[in-house]
C-alpha cells in the first residue's frame, strides 16, 4: 500500500525536473561543468528506482498474455494537410462529423483515467495533430497528470517549426517526424502536396531546442525511395537523429502490394554494404524498433519490422481514435467506443470494465503478412485518428475464411445503422461465397442459410417446428416502473454491476414480404448485387455484436454465439428470419437478438429495393428469452 504514494512522489519529482523518456526528448539540462553523460546517468538511476518501487500494474491494462500496456496513442484529429500515398487514398477519406469526435474534455478525461491505471507515456497523433487549434493547451493539460512521464507527438512537420517552442514550454518531450524522401520533387509526389522545406525547418528547430534524438520516420517503398537508404543513414553522421526505416504496411486505400515492400533484412544488407562496421544497439523492452549505430556517427538508424518480424510479444500500446474508439492492435479491426459509453454517463468503474474487457480480448499476435494485406482495416489516416465490427468470424466454417467487410460499398465513416441501410449497395459477393453457397446446400429453389457450426449445418436450418409458437414457461414477471428512467424521469443506464452472471439466451424473428418478382430473384440467386440471403445473414451476425453502439442505454454484452437463420416462404413471397443470441453475464441479450433480426431484414430490403419498393418488414418480435431474475419468456 505504501508503494503507491512513493511512486506518485517520485513521478512528480521526475516530471518537475525533466520531461523526458527513452524514446527521445530534452532531458535535464546539465549545470555548468556537469557533463551530459552525468545528467543522463542520474536520470537513468531515477527511472530504475521508480520501476523498482512502482505500484502493482493495473489489471485493466494487462492482457491475457501478461502484457502490461503503459503506452497510449491518442488521435487528436482525422484531418491532415498532406495526402501521403501509403496513408490514404488520393481523394482523401470521408471524415467523421465534428459532433462524433472526442472533445478536448473527453480526451483529457480518458487520458486521466488511463494514466491513473498506469499509462506513463502518451503520444498525440492524427491525422496531423498539429493542425488541431488547441494542441498546445492539450499538451499543457496532459503535463499536469501525475504519473505521466512522456508526452510525444507524431507529426508530418509542416507546422512544427512554428509551434514547437510553445509545445516544448507546455511539456512536449518527444518528437517523431515523418519524412520519406530527401528529394523535394519526390516529396511532392509522395505526399501530393508541397512542404518539403517546412519539414526540414521543423527537424532543425527540434534539434536547436534540444530534443535528442529527433526521430525521423521513413516508410520505405520499392521503386520510390529505397534508393535513398544510404542518404538517410548519412544524416545521422552530424545530426542527433534516429532515422527509423518502416516496412510498408497495408491499410485501406493505399493499394498495398507485397512487391512494394522492402524488408528489414534487405534494407540492413544495403546499409551494411556501405558501412560494414554497423553496430547493433541493445533493445529496450517493448521497443518496436531494431536499432543500429554507425561508429563515430552522432545519431542512429532503426528498423520497424511490422511485416517481416512482428514484435507482438512485447507490445505495450493502446490506441484511441479521434472518434473515441479503443484499438488494442494497430492491425486489428476490433474496436470499442469509449466515446459512446462516456456520453451515456458511464462511471469510471464501468469504463474500466469496458477497457479491461477489450484489452483482455487482445490476441497473442496479429495475422501474418499476407493475411494482414487481406484484412479490412481503417485507412492509416483514420487509425491514428466506423466503428468496426468485432473480429470474431462467422460461426459457419464454410464461410469463416471470408471477411464480410470485403463486400464492396462499405463506407467507414457512417454510423453503423446508416451503414447497414447502405452497406450492400452495388456490392458483388466474392467468389468465396459461391463456395459457401454450395456447401450450404443451395442448389435447389428452397435454400436455407444458417450460421451454425455444429454437425447439422448443411441441413435445413429452419424446420417447420422451429417456427411453431412456443408455450409460456416460467414466471412472467413484469415491472410497472421503466428501468431506464431515474427518479426524476430522465434517461439513465441501469447499473448491472451487482447482478449475478447467468446463462442468457434470446430468440427474435422478422419477416420480409418481398413480392413475387423480388422473391423469385432471391430464390434463384439472380440479383445483380449478389446473394441477398448470405448478405442478410452476415449483416445480422455483425449487428448483434455491436448492439450497444446502436441502442444508447444498452449494455455491452460479450456474446458467446450468434445464429441467424433465413427461410424462403413461397406462399407469401417472403423471407422469414430468426436470430438467436447467447451470452453469460449480468444482463439479457433480447436487444441483441432483436437488432440482429431487424438489421438482417433491412439488408434484404436494401438488396432488393432496386427491383421493387413494395417491400414490407413486419413481425419483428421477441420469440423467447431465458435466464435472469425476471424468469423465462416464451411467446404464446
Amino acid at each position: 500500500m505504501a508503494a503507491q504514494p512513493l511512486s506518485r512522489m517520485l513521478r512528480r519529482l521526475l516530471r518537475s525536473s525533466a520531461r523526458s523518456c527513452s524514446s527521445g526528448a530534452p532531458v535535464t539540462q546539465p549545470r555548468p561543468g556537469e557533463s551530459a553523460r552525468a545528467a543522463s546517468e542520474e536520470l537513468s538511476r531515477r527511472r530504475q528506482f521508480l520501476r523498482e518501487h512502482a505500484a502493482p500494474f493495473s489489471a485493466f491494462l494487462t492482457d491475457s498474455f501478461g502484457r502490461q500496456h503503459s503506452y497510449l496513442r491518442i488521435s487528436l484529429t482525422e484531418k491532415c494537410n498532406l495526402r501521403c500515398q501509403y496513408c490514404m487514398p488520393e481523394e482523401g477519406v470521408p471524415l467523421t462529423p465534428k459532433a462524433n469526435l472526442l472533445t478536448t474534455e473527453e480526451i483529457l478525461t480518458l487520458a486521466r483515467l488511463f494514466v491513473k491505471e498506469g499509462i506513463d507515456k502518451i503520444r498525440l497523433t492524427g491525422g496531423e495533430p498539429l493542425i488541431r487549434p488547441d494542441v498546445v493547451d492539450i499538451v499543457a493539460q496532459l503535463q499536469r497528470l501525475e504519473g505521466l512521464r512522456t508526452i510525444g507527438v507524431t507529426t508530418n512537420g509542416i507546422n512544427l517549426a512554428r509551434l514547437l517552442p510553445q509545445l516544448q514550454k507546455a511539456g512536449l518531450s518527444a518528437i517523431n517526424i515523418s519524412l520519406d524522401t530527401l528529394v523535394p520533387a519526390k516529396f511532392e509526389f509522395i505526399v501530393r502536396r508541397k512542404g518539403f522545406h517546412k519539414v526540414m525547418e521543423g527537424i532543425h528547430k527540434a534539434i536547436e531546442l534540444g530534443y535528442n534524438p529527433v526521430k525521423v520516420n521513413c516508410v520505405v517503398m520499392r521503386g520510390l525511395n529505397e534508393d535513398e537508404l544510404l542518404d538517410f543513414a548519412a544524416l545521422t553522421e552530424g545530426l542527433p537523429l534516429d532515422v527509423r526505416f518502416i516496412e510498408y504496411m497495408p491499410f485501406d486505400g493505399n493499394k498495398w502490394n507485397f512487391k512494394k515492400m522492402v524488408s528489414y533484412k534487405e534494407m540492413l544488407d544495403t546499409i551494411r554494404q556501405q558501412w560494414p562496421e554497423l553496430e547493433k544497439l541493445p533493445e529496450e523492452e517493448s521497443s518496436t524498433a531494431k536499432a543500429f549505430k554507425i561508429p563515430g556517427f552522432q545519431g542512429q538508424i532503426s528498423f520497424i519490422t511490422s511485416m517481416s518480424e512482428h514484435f507482438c510479444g512485447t507490445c505495450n500500446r493502446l490506441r484511441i481514435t479521434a472518434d473515441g474508439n479503443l484499438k488494442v492492435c494497430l492491425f486489428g479491426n476490433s474496436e470499442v467506443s469509449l466515446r459512446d459509453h462516456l456520453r451515456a454517463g458511464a462511471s469510471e468503474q464501468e469504463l474500466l470494465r469496458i477497457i479491461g474487457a477489450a484489452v483482455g480480448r487482445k490476441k497473442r499476435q496479429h495475422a501474418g503478412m499476407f493475411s494482414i494485406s487481406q484484412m479490412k482495416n481503417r485507412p492509416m489516416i483514420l487509425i491514428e485518428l466506423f466503428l468496426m465490427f468485432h473480429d470474431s468470424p462467422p460461426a459457419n466454417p464454410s464461410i469463416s475464411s471470408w471477411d464480410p467487410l470485403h463486400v464492396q460499398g462499405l463506407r467507414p465513416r457512417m454510423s453503423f445503422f446508416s451503414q447497414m441501410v447502405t452497406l450492400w449497395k452495388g456490392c458483388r459477393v466474392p467468389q468465396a461465397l459461391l463456395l459457401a453457397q454450395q456447401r450450404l446446400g443451395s442448389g435447389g429453389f428452397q435454400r436455407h442459410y444458417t450460421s451454425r457450426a455444429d454437425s447439422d449445418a448443411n441441413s435445413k436450418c429452419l424446420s417447420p417446428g422451429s417456427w411453431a409458437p412456443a408455450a409460456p414457461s416460467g414466471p412472467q414477471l413484469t415491472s410497472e416502473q421503466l428501468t431506464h428512467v431515474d427518479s426524476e424521469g430522465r434517461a439513465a443506464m441501469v447499473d448491472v454491476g451487482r447482478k449475478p452472471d447467468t446463462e442468457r439466451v434470446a430468440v427474435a424473428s422478422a419477416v420480409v414480404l418481398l413480392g413475387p418478382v423480388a422473391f423469385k430473384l432471391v430464390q434463384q440467386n439472380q440479383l445483380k448485387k449478389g446473394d441477398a440471403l448470405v448478405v442478410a445473414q452476415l449483416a445480422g451476425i455483425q449487428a448483434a455484436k455491436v448492439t450497444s453502439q446502436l441502442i444508447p442505454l444498452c449494455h455491452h454484452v460479450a456474446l458467446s454465439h450468434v445464429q441467424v437463420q433465413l427461410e424462403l416462404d413461397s406462399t407469401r413471397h417472403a423471407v422469414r428470419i430468426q436470430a438467436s443470441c447467447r451470452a453469460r453475464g449480468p444482463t439479457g441479450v433480447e436487444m441483441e437478438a432483436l437488432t440482429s433480426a431487424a438489421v438482417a431484414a433491412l439488408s434484404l430490403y436494401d438488396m432488393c429495393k432496386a427491383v421493387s419498393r413494395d417491400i414490407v418488414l413486419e413481425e419483428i418480435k421477441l420469440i423467447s428469452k431465458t435466464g435472469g431474475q425476471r424468469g423465462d419468456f416464451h411467446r404464446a
Side-chain angles (χ1 to χ4, degrees):
M1 294 296 290
Q4 185 68 27
L6 177 60
S7 172
R8 289 180 176 175
M9 180 183 70
L10 287 169
R11 287 174 177 169
R12 198 161 47 236
L13 177 64
L14 258 180
R15 192 169 62 252
S16 63
S17 61
R19 299 289 306 178
S20 63
C21 77
S22 59
S23 63
V27 297
T28 308
Q29 295 297 317
R31 294 185 292 272
E34 181 184 17
S35 69
R37 175 177 291 182
S40 177
E41 290 175 352
E42 172 63 20
L43 184 60
S44 178
R45 281 195 296 271
R46 280 183 284 171
R47 284 186 186 147
Q48 181 63 30
F49 184 82
L50 180 60
R51 281 194 293 267
E52 292 173 355
H53 294 81
F57 197 81
S58 168
F60 295 105
L61 301 184
T62 304
D63 67 16
S64 58
F65 304 101
R67 293 172 294 202
Q68 298 178 343
H69 296 78
S70 59
Y71 178 6
L72 178 66
R73 300 173 70 98
I74 303 177
S75 172
L76 298 185
T77 179
E78 295 176 346
K79 296 179 180 179
C80 187
N81 43 10
L82 300 181
R83 291 290 182 272
C84 298
Q85 294 191 29
Y86 55 81
C87 186
M88 72 166 99
E90 184 173 1
E91 67 276 11
V93 295
L95 297 175
T96 303
K98 185 176 180 181
N100 293 338
L101 298 176
L102 289 177
T103 65
T104 300
E105 185 53 42
E106 287 170 337
I107 290 172
L108 295 173
T109 296
L110 291 174
R112 279 191 289 269
L113 180 60
F114 275 92
V115 171
K116 184 178 178 181
E117 289 302 308
I119 290 290
D120 62 11
K121 178 178 179 180
I122 289 179
R123 178 168 296 279
L124 303 177
T125 67
E128 170 47 44
L130 299 192
I131 66 175
R132 180 158 176 146
D134 59 349
V135 62
V136 175
D137 182 57
I138 290 174
V139 172
Q141 294 291 330
L142 291 175
Q143 198 268 346
R144 298 174 187 171
L145 298 182
E146 183 179 333
L148 184 60
R149 294 190 285 179
T150 303
I151 304 173
V153 67
T154 295
T155 172
N156 60 31
I158 298 293
N159 295 336
L160 185 60
R162 175 173 59 86
L163 290 175
L164 190 53
Q166 302 171 61
L167 289 166
Q168 185 182 54
K169 186 176 180 181
L172 186 71
S173 53
I175 302 173
N176 286 27
I177 303 168
S178 298
L179 181 65
D180 303 312
T181 179
L182 299 174
V183 181
K186 194 186 294 185
F187 176 90
E188 292 184 26
F189 173 75
I190 293 174
V191 307
R192 305 184 180 113
R193 297 290 187 274
K194 296 181 182 294
F196 174 79
H197 297 291
K198 289 185 177 181
V199 179
M200 296 305 294
E201 182 184 358
I203 291 174
H204 287 287
K205 174 61 72 173
I207 295 172
E208 175 190 326
L209 293 178
Y211 289 86
N212 184 2
V214 175
K215 293 185 177 181
V216 176
N217 293 344
C218 176
V219 177
V220 181
M221 293 162 279
R222 192 179 307 282
L224 192 59
N225 64 348
E226 88 276 20
D227 59 334
E228 296 187 60
L229 286 169
L230 300 182
D231 295 332
F232 271 103
L235 287 177
T236 66
E237 182 173 7
L239 296 173
L241 302 178
D242 180 2
V243 176
R244 311 198 314 165
F245 299 113
I246 302 173
E247 291 179 337
Y248 183 43
M249 296 178 286
F251 293 96
D252 278 8
N254 71 357
K255 300 177 182 178
W256 186 84
N257 187 315
F258 172 68
K259 295 179 181 178
K260 290 184 182 180
M261 194 197 84
V262 183
S263 71
Y264 146 63
K265 290 185 177 179
E266 182 179 344
M267 290 188 274
L268 184 61
D269 287 343
T270 299
I271 294 172
R272 273 210 166 119
Q273 288 178 20
Q274 177 69 24
W275 292 285
E277 68 276 21
L278 188 68
E279 297 176 353
K280 179 79 165 62
L281 298 177
E283 291 179 20
E284 293 188 9
E285 186 180 2
S286 77
S287 173
T288 61
K290 295 176 172 62
F292 294 79
K293 188 177 183 67
I294 302 169
F297 280 28
Q298 189 174 350
Q300 66 182 49
I301 62 173
S302 303
F303 301 90
I304 297 179
T305 61
S306 304
M307 299 302 291
S308 63
E309 296 183 19
H310 69 76
F311 31 81
C312 302
T314 58
C315 178
N316 68 338
R317 290 153 179 75
L318 300 173
R319 289 172 168 80
I320 297 178
T321 61
D323 53 355
N325 283 2
L326 176 66
K327 281 181 74 77
V328 298
C329 176
L330 173 64
F331 290 105
N333 57 17
S334 181
E335 304 179 7
V336 60
S337 177
L338 301 181
R339 176 203 66 199
D340 289 351
H341 290 287
L342 200 59
R343 294 181 183 180
S347 67
E348 182 175 297
Q349 204 60 28
E350 287 172 331
L351 286 171
L352 285 176
R353 281 199 293 268
I354 293 161
I355 292 166
V359 172
R361 290 193 299 268
K362 185 171 181 176
K363 297 178 180 179
R364 180 183 293 275
Q365 64 186 57
H366 62 62
M369 183 192 309
F370 296 101
S371 298
I372 287 175
S373 67
Q374 300 301 316
M375 285 171 56
K376 187 71 182 177
N377 200 356
R378 293 180 183 235
M380 185 63 186
I381 187 75
L382 299 182
I383 288 181
E384 296 286 353
L385 310 162
F386 211 50
L387 172 66
M388 284 301 233
F389 308 127
H390 291 252
D391 55 358
S392 51
N396 194 311
S398 64
I399 56 175
S400 62
S401 62
W402 176 63
D403 183 345
L405 297 178
H406 275 151
V407 177
Q408 295 180 1
L410 183 63
R411 293 294 180 264
R413 304 312 303 163
M414 301 178 186
S415 69
F416 178 81
F417 201 82
S418 299
Q419 290 168 32
M420 297 317 296
V421 175
T422 60
L423 178 60
W424 313 107
K425 285 183 178 178
C427 71
R428 293 171 300 182
V429 179
Q431 183 67 27
L433 284 186
L434 299 179
L435 298 176
Q437 177 179 322
Q438 294 170 10
R439 294 174 67 176
L440 286 166
S442 59
F445 288 120
Q446 187 67 18
R447 295 182 292 139
H448 301 271
Y449 290 78
T450 178
S451 63
R452 289 177 294 181
D454 40 46
S455 59
D456 64 345
N458 288 326
S459 64
K460 290 186 177 181
C461 61
L462 292 178
S463 63
S466 65
W467 283 91
S473 70
Q476 300 300 305
L477 300 180
T478 60
S479 172
E480 296 180 357
Q481 181 180 358
L482 294 174
T483 58
H484 286 82
V485 177
D486 64 17
S487 58
E488 298 180 11
R490 296 173 300 192
M493 197 170 186
V494 176
D495 185 356
V496 298
R498 295 181 178 86
K499 294 178 67 176
D501 287 354
T502 59
E503 189 74 16
R504 314 280 188 138
V505 179
V507 179
S509 67
V511 175
V512 182
L513 302 177
L514 294 173
V517 176
F519 179 83
K520 184 176 181 180
L521 291 173
V522 170
Q523 186 182 52
Q524 297 179 357
N525 193 15
Q526 295 298 312
L527 285 174
K528 291 183 179 180
K529 287 186 176 182
D531 194 323
L533 299 182
V534 168
V535 169
Q537 179 204 26
L538 293 171
I541 293 170
Q542 300 291 9
K545 295 191 287 185
V546 294
T547 299
S548 63
Q549 310 301 333
L550 305 175
I551 313 299
L553 301 180
C554 187
H555 293 84
H556 175 71
V557 176
L559 294 169
S560 58
H561 184 62
V562 181
Q563 177 176 295
V564 179
Q565 303 171 308
L566 298 100
E567 183 185 61
L568 295 170
D569 183 349
S570 57
T571 60
R572 302 175 65 194
H573 299 124
V575 177
R576 307 175 76 177
I577 301 167
Q578 181 170 297
S580 172
C581 295
R582 183 169 68 242
R584 184 171 184 81
T587 187
V589 289
E590 300 100 302
M591 292 307 302
E592 283 70 16
L594 286 164
T595 301
S596 178
V599 171
L602 281 172
S603 295
L604 271 175
Y605 181 97
D606 185 60
M607 292 289 286
C608 301
K609 70 179 186 294
V611 177
S612 171
R613 296 300 174 100
D614 188 22
I615 301 173
V616 178
L617 279 58
E618 65 179 23
E619 298 181 36
I620 299 175
K621 59 189 177 184
L622 182 68
I623 300 298
S624 65
K625 67 170 285 289
T626 60
Q629 296 177 350
R630 300 193 179 190
D632 296 348
F633 166 79
H634 295 276
R635 185 173 296 277

